[in-house]
């Protein structure tokens, strides 16, 4: 090798390193800082203890000196127990003789056995702790399957403590939904409600009744979605019916010989009663909100509410198909259909209400406006061509200027594309169908039908005529003979079939758009 200027060191100047003796003073030892915060009183490393220190420091094993100390303590305890046994044996020999010797001998043997058992248990526990510590150091790389089985068996056979046995089983905490999960759940509930709603509107009530008997939970799912819909409504028709019942229950009947309040002043007209009590049948009640709200005041108002629906989620609800009610003829004073004419056989509901109502009993109906047809202008042509328009001829009793204004409004809507404000809810076909079943509208049609609400129509009828159609109608007798001398035949079956098909379409099903 070649010499580098400034880096070459002569071998003569180097001194040999000599090892310090074990008993050297502290000042002579190295003052280098120990790692890990070790103090100067640490055990000195010698050829005799280097193996033990390696096992305790690097491998994490217990110091052999402690093991020796534990063994010495165990031997000392064993000698003490044997000494006590021998002294007890000597005492029994002096006092009681041979039988006592045998008894004391047995007790001493049992003590020795107990001590040996305790010693073996203590050794097992030490071995287990030692293995666990070793497994923790080497990340359980060399764990033996037999040791695992022994530890598991000892853990399974261990008796539970009093604290563990007395601790009650805690119920799992409800999992909090995220914003996305909550939104998806809302959509699922709404979709389920739309499906059940369409099912109820497009099936006969008998099929819906059987469906809810097979799956009662579907009834709760439907009304859970229904309650969500009610929250966004400007008004719930049930609230108006509750107000009518409370107001009319407190109204007093007019004195004898004096006329009562007109039908339009409904709050002043007392409720119809039988023997001083008014029996109200809530048909298609849902969750029986009407009966629940009047439960506390029923005795004071002298009102009895009977609620019927396809399922009975509440003890106040009687499970029944409202086309076949478990009530006697003429046993009810007021029958209420609050958004309940849902089946395709809703005409059967009207006829059943006529059967159970007392004479001069009342029928209250609340329905969604969109289920009724719109009013159409008779003068509006089929096509949209201005050339086919003709000037409307003036009719008697109506000014020509007013008729011409209506004609011009049609032109502005259908030709110029202006907003159509002519369309209004037409309930005339519905009222005619009920009149054929023996119900009379209270007051004039234009005034008796309440359309003040944006969403609902409310009507009040009275059972005051004989039905001419339906199951309540009877064949007419003594008809006037025709020109050729024979009476026309009463074709009840054919009349009912054709009327049932046509009248069922008066109320359109309330369906939601498919999204």
């Amino acid at each position: 090798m070649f010499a580098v200027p400034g880096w070459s060191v002569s071998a003569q100047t180097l001194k040999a390193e000599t090892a310090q003796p074990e008993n050297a003073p502290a000042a002579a030892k190295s003052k280098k800082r120990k790692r890990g915060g070790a103090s100067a009183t640490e055990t000195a490393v010698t050829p005799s203890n280097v193996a033990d220190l390696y096992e305790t420091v690097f491998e994490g094993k217990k110091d052999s000196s402690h093991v020796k100390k534990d063994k010495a303590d165990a031997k000392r305890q064993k000698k003490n127990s044997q000494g006590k046994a021998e002294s007890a044996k000597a005492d029994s020999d002096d006092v009681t003789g041979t039988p006592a010797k045998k008894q004391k001998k047995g007790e001493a043997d049992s003590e020795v056995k107990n001590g040996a058992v305790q010693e073996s248990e203590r050794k097992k526990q030490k071995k287990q702790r030692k293995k666990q510590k070793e497994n923790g150091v080497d990340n359980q790389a060399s764990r033996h399957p037999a040791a695992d089985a022994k530890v598991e068996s000892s853990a399974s056979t261990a008796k539970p403590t009093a604290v563990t046995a007395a601790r009650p089983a805690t119920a799992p905490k409800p999992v909090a939904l995220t914003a996305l999960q909550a939104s998806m759940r809302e959509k699922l509930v709404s979709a389920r409600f739309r499906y059940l709603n369409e099912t109820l509107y497009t099936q006969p009530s008998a099929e819906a009744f059987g469906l809810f008997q097979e799956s009662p939970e579907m009834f709760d799912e439907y009304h859970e979605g229904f309650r969500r819909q009610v929250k966004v409504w400007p008004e719930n028709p049930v609230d108006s019916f509750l107000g009518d019942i409370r107001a009319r229950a407190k109204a007093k009947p007019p004195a004898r010989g004096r006329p009562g309040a007109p039908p339009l002043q409904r709050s002043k007209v007392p409720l119809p009663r039988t023997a001083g009590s008014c029996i109200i049948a809530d048909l298609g009640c849902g969750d029986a909100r009407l009966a629940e709200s009047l439960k506390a005041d029923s005795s004071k108002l002298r009102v009895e509410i009977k609620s019927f629906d396809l399922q009975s989620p509440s003890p106040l609800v009687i499970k029944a198909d409202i086309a076949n009610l478990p009530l006697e003829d003429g046993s009810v004073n007021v029958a209420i259909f609050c958004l309940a004419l849902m089946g395709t056989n809703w005409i059967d509901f009207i006829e059943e209400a006529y059967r159970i109502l007392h004479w001069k009993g009342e029928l209250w109906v609340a329905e969604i406006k969109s289920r009724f047809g719109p009013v159409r202008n008779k003068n509006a042509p089929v096509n949209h061509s201005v050339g086919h328009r003709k000037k409307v001829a003036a009719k008697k009793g109506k000014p020509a200027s007013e008729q011409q204004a209506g004609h011009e409004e049609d032109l502005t809507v259908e030709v110029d594309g202006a907003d159509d404000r002519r369309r209004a809810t037409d309930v005339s076909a519905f009222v005619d169908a009920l009149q054929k079943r023996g119900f009379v509208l209270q007051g004039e049609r234009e005034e008796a039908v309440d359309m003040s609400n944006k969403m609902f129509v409310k009507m009040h009828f009275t059972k005051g005529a004989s039905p001419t159609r339906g199951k309540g109608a009877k064949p007419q007798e003594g008809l006037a003979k025709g020109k050729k001398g024979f009476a026309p035949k009463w074709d009840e079956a054919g009349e009912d079939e054709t009327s049932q098909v046509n009248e069922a379409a008066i109320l359109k099903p309330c369906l939601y758009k498919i999204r």
Side-chain angles (χ1 to χ4, degrees), residues 146-209:
D148 293 341
K150 186 180 290 186
V151 172
E152 290 179 0
S153 62
S154 62
S156 61
T157 55
K159 295 182 179 180
T161 60
V163 177
T164 306
R167 183 179 300 168
T170 57
K173 295 182 179 180
V175 180
L177 299 179
T178 63
L180 178 61
Q181 290 173 337
S183 175
M184 293 176 66
R185 185 181 183 279
E186 291 288 335
K187 290 182 179 180
L188 288 174
V189 171
S190 300
R192 185 67 168 169
F193 167 72
R194 290 195 296 269
Y195 166 74
L196 293 175
N197 186 74
E198 182 175 350
T199 302
L200 292 175
Y201 273 108
T202 56
Q203 287 185 357
S205 58
E207 295 183 9
F209 182 74

Side-chain angles (χ1 to χ4, degrees), residues 349-406:
F349 306 166
I350 302 296
E351 296 175 354
E352 186 70 1
Y354 185 89
R355 181 187 70 82
I356 64 173
L357 274 173
H358 194 272
W359 183 253
K360 295 297 181 182
E362 296 183 7
L363 175 65
W364 301 356
V365 179
E367 267 302 332
I368 301 173
K369 281 185 176 181
S370 60
R371 298 196 65 190
F372 300 94
V375 177
R376 297 192 178 274
N377 191 345
K378 297 180 181 179
N379 300 320
V382 177
N383 53 26
H384 298 278
S385 174
V386 181
H388 290 83
R389 296 281 186 171
K390 293 182 180 181
K391 189 174 182 179
V392 180
K395 294 183 179 180
K396 294 182 180 180
K398 197 170 185 180
S401 60
E402 184 178 345
Q403 297 182 31
Q404 185 65 27

Side-chain angles (χ1 to χ4, degrees), residues 184-254:
M184 293 176 66
R185 185 181 183 279
E186 291 288 335
K187 290 182 179 180
L188 288 174
V189 171
S190 300
R192 185 67 168 169
F193 167 72
R194 290 195 296 269
Y195 166 74
L196 293 175
N197 186 74
E198 182 175 350
T199 302
L200 292 175
Y201 273 108
T202 56
Q203 287 185 357
S205 58
E207 295 183 9
F209 182 74
L211 177 66
F212 284 126
Q213 303 318 303
E214 295 176 359
S215 304
E217 68 279 359
M218 296 175 68
F219 190 82
D220 298 330
E221 293 174 358
Y222 171 78
H223 283 282
E224 182 183 356
F226 181 78
R227 284 187 288 270
R228 294 171 184 265
Q229 296 289 327
V230 172
K231 290 180 181 180
V232 299
W233 288 355
E235 180 189 356
N236 192 348
V238 178
D239 297 330
S240 63
F241 286 154
L242 284 171
D244 291 344
I245 293 172
R246 288 195 171 98
R248 295 182 61 183
K250 298 176 182 178
K252 296 181 180 180

